[in-house]
Amino acid sequence: QKEVEQNSGPLSVPEGAIASLNCTYSDRGSQSFFWYRQYSGKSPELIMSIYSNGDKEDGRFTAQLNKASQYVSLLIRDSQPSDSATYLCAVTFDTDKLIFGTGTRLQVFP
Amino acid sequence: GAVVSQHPSWVICKSGTSVKIECRSLDFQATTMFWYRQFPKQSLMLMATSNEGSKATYEQGVEKDKFLINHASLTLSTLTVTSAHPEDSSFYICSARDDRPPGAPDTQYFGPGTRLTVL
């Protein structure tokens, strides 16, 4: 069974620190990787997509992909209390269906 | 751009009734839409893939006769929960894949979700 795994957290970081969120996936054939942010009671919001090995930066967010290790991460620099949410890692396998991890809850405290 | 709407945002119904949820892509065409369900403190679970002009593809364990999907146009998909029961109470979320190239053709944009409560 194709799986996406995340630590459920909560991950607590002080305001201004770097938050590091990790995700592993089971299928080496995975093509596309996404990070979504979900606030309580709301639907997921796309933060980053990454398709090739290496880093991809967008503002305070950096996604890192290592296909050999089947590992994708999200770094949030200068974390703010408004970043407190659940972060969902999602991966597409041999189709365009997204398989979601269970999410990591991030808490940024002032 | 890439806005997806859902209607209604919440609904309360009696057990045994049917509920229809609409999902619309507002500023792009979407041949493919997806329907998810999320129970409290759990992740999103894909229920079905909806393709315009053809039958939906349901995930294992999802009853196609209970969750009716109609994707009648490139901007609208509907999910009807038939004979709803309390265990169907959940957060239902749709997503749409933008047909327009170039870019990331497999990026899904999510609607705001519909919270269903069955009494």
Side-chain angles (χ1 to χ4, degrees):
Chain A
Q1 185 172 348
K2 296 172 180 175
E3 296 181 340
V4 178
E5 295 191 356
Q6 296 180 254
N7 188 317
S8 61
L11 172 66
S12 294
V13 300
E15 184 174 358
I18 296 175
S20 178
L21 304 162
N22 304 314
C23 173
T24 58
Y25 56 95
S26 62
D27 189 348
R28 288 191 173 275
S30 300
Q31 298 292 325
S32 306
F33 307 85
F34 304 87
W35 282 100
Y36 287 86
R37 177 175 62 197
Q38 187 176 27
Y39 292 111
S40 181
K42 303 295 185 181
S43 70
E45 171 192 9
L46 180 66
I47 296 176
M48 296 278 289
S49 60
I50 187 166
Y51 305 96
S52 56
N53 280 326
D55 295 359
K56 179 181 178 182
E57 186 175 321
D58 183 0
R60 294 187 297 114
F61 300 97
T62 299
Q64 300 174 319
L65 175 61
N66 184 326
K67 289 189 177 181
S69 300
Q70 296 174 233
Y71 175 92
V72 58
S73 66
L74 179 70
L75 301 178
I76 306 175
R77 289 181 298 281
D78 189 23
S79 295
Q80 301 297 309
S82 59
D83 294 326
S84 298
T86 296
Y87 289 79
L88 300 170
C89 172
V91 177
T92 58
F93 292 97
D94 52 1
T95 69
D96 54 8
K97 294 191 295 186
L98 278 175
I99 306 298
F100 282 89
T102 53
T104 298
R105 189 157 61 94
L106 173 65
Q107 295 178 335
V108 182
F109 55 92
Chain B
V3 179
V4 176
S5 70
Q6 271 185 253
H7 178 81
S9 56
W10 60 270
V11 57
I12 301 173
C13 69
K14 292 182 179 180
S15 185
T17 60
S18 294
V19 174
K20 179 185 284 190
I21 303 170
E22 292 186 349
C23 177
R24 293 180 185 274
S25 56
L26 298 185
D27 51 0
F28 64 97
Q29 293 186 328
T31 300
T32 304
M33 293 185 177
F34 302 87
W35 287 96
Y36 296 84
R37 181 168 53 182
Q38 186 176 35
F39 293 106
K41 298 191 184 303
Q42 295 186 23
S43 192
L44 279 75
M45 295 300 297
L46 179 65
M47 299 176 66
T49 302
S50 171
N51 293 296
E52 187 269 337
S54 64
K55 291 183 178 181
T57 303
Y58 291 82
E59 294 300 300
Q60 191 173 6
V62 178
E63 301 174 58
K64 62 180 181 181
D65 294 329
K66 182 173 181 61
F67 299 99
L68 302 180
I69 292 172
N70 187 335
H71 194 151
S73 78
L74 289 174
T75 59
L76 173 64
S77 176
T78 61
L79 168 69
T80 301
V81 183
T82 62
S83 187
H85 291 283
E87 58 266 28
D88 298 322
S89 299
S90 188
F91 191 41
Y92 290 86
I93 309 171
C94 73
S95 71
R97 193 182 67 188
D98 193 340
D99 285 349
R100 295 172 297 179
D106 56 354
T107 299
Q108 294 183 26
Y109 299 96
F110 283 83
T114 297
R115 191 162 300 282
L116 171 64
T117 302
V118 185
L119 302 177

